[in-house]
Amino acid sequence: GSVLGSTVANAADSAIDNILSTGELKVCFEAGYIPFEMKTKDGRFIGFDIDVSKHMARAMGVKFVPVNTAWDGIIPALQTGKCDIINGGMGITPERNLKVLFADTYLEMGQTVLVTPEVAAEITDYRDLNDPKYNLVSQIGTTGAIAAKKYFPNAQLNLFETSADSVLQVKNGKADAFVYDLPYNAMYAAQNKGGVVHLDEAFTYEPLGWAIRQDDVNFLNFLNNYLVQIKKDGTYDRIYDKWFNS
Ligand code: ARG
């Protein structure tokens, strides 16, 4: 509810009320995270999360409305009501979970590294990157940035606003390694053969989940039951195969 113009929700309010009354499911994500959310040349949003979001909106009988948001401000965007849900490859971390509710895990993965062909020739293991002579990159505010600090404290680290800017440093030989989510790195390596080398052993465990505002148990209950439904009725596998096995 709105109290004196404030947008702070009452504990009793559910995003469901707003979704149904406006006929729109507003979904926050940051395009540029392959193969979960990408922007096409003609300005459409595509990817695994996008297809699931569209299906979710249909299940609620409403329209899917994409809200492409800088990763760095994506939790504030949810908290201030710019969207109803974050469906954007977000890792369920304890730190984030103190600010938002997460529905049950929809995909499990972990962090890996993309290195230059030169670095690939001189190291045998991702652990070898923990050396001051190596210059690592990742995206601001991501679990990749956290993992880089935790697992490679002795290396140099530069953070960039987007994953594309970060990984380009490695592709152009300006940085030695990009620390990021395994699915992204696997796909980027496949699309840039010879330019980068993927060390595909994940060294963290990261569950991904849909984030919603705190206290909204009604929406949380809807989402967890919806997730079980799509996992059991073939919808999830159909969308997964489209983006991960083609
Ligand atoms: N899974 C990582 C995290 O939770 C990265 C997600 C990045 N998503 C994006 N659209 N850039 O931090």
Side-chain angles (χ1 to χ4, degrees):
S2 159
V3 180
L4 301 174
S6 113
T7 53
V8 177
N10 294 322
D13 284 352
S14 172
I16 289 177
D17 305 333
N18 198 45
I19 293 163
L20 295 183
S21 66
T22 59
E24 294 183 342
L25 175 66
K26 295 194 284 299
V27 182
C28 273
F29 57 85
E30 188 234 1
Y33 177 61
I34 52 176
F36 294 84
E37 33 266 332
M38 295 87 75
K39 192 174 183 175
T40 63
K41 286 199 176 69
D42 57 340
R44 288 173 307 115
F45 297 107
I46 61 167
F48 176 83
D49 289 333
I50 303 293
D51 278 354
V52 171
S53 292
K54 284 179 176 170
H55 186 275
M56 186 190 289
R58 269 202 304 282
M60 301 183 87
V62 299
K63 196 172 146 240
F64 162 68
V65 175
V67 184
N68 188 18
T69 308
W71 184 255
D72 212 15
I74 203 159
I75 286 181
L78 172 71
Q79 289 172 323
T80 56
K82 294 195 174 63
C83 53
D84 304 302
I85 184 170
I86 299 170
N87 183 6
M90 181 168 276
I92 302 174
T93 67
E95 194 202 5
R96 289 171 180 159
N97 214 167
L98 294 173
K99 300 182 197 151
V100 298
L101 293 186
F102 283 105
D104 293 343
T105 301
Y106 70 84
L107 195 143
E108 294 172 305
M109 42 123 238
Q111 295 297 307
T112 63
V113 285
L114 285 179
V115 299
T116 62
E118 293 73 24
V119 171
E122 68 189 42
I123 67 173
T124 53
D125 188 287
Y126 72 86
R127 293 177 187 85
D128 299 335
L129 291 169
N130 188 27
D131 187 304
K133 75 175 173 188
Y134 290 124
N135 179 4
L136 276 44
V137 291
S138 192
Q139 183 185 10
I140 296 171
T142 62
T143 49
I146 293 165
K149 287 173 201 155
K150 182 171 171 192
Y151 289 84
F152 312 106
N154 298 329
Q156 304 162 57
L157 176 64
N158 283 300
L159 300 177
F160 294 83
E161 185 75 32
T162 66
S163 51
D165 287 344
S166 317
V167 74
L168 204 57
Q169 300 292 311
V170 175
K171 197 189 169 187
N172 293 342
K174 292 195 182 113
D176 297 306
F178 172 54
V179 183
Y180 212 56
D181 301 18
L182 184 150
Y184 182 102
N185 285 347
M187 206 144 294
Y188 189 89
Q191 291 169 0
N192 294 273
K193 285 210 175 70
V196 294
V197 177
H198 188 204
L199 306 186
D200 60 3
E201 181 191 350
F203 52 88
T204 67
Y205 167 73
E206 181 173 341
L208 303 182
W210 305 321
I212 61 170
R213 285 182 286 276
Q214 286 185 318
D215 301 317
D216 195 349
V217 292
N218 291 358
F219 198 19
L220 189 68
N221 180 250
F222 172 87
L223 291 170
N224 284 335
N225 287 318
Y226 168 77
L227 179 60
V228 171
Q229 179 66 37
I230 63 168
K231 283 227 169 179
K232 300 280 184 183
D233 72 8
T235 302
Y236 182 97
D237 289 345
R238 175 177 53 76
I239 299 174
Y240 185 92
D241 287 343
K242 174 178 167 188
W243 294 103
F244 291 92
N245 296 329
S246 55

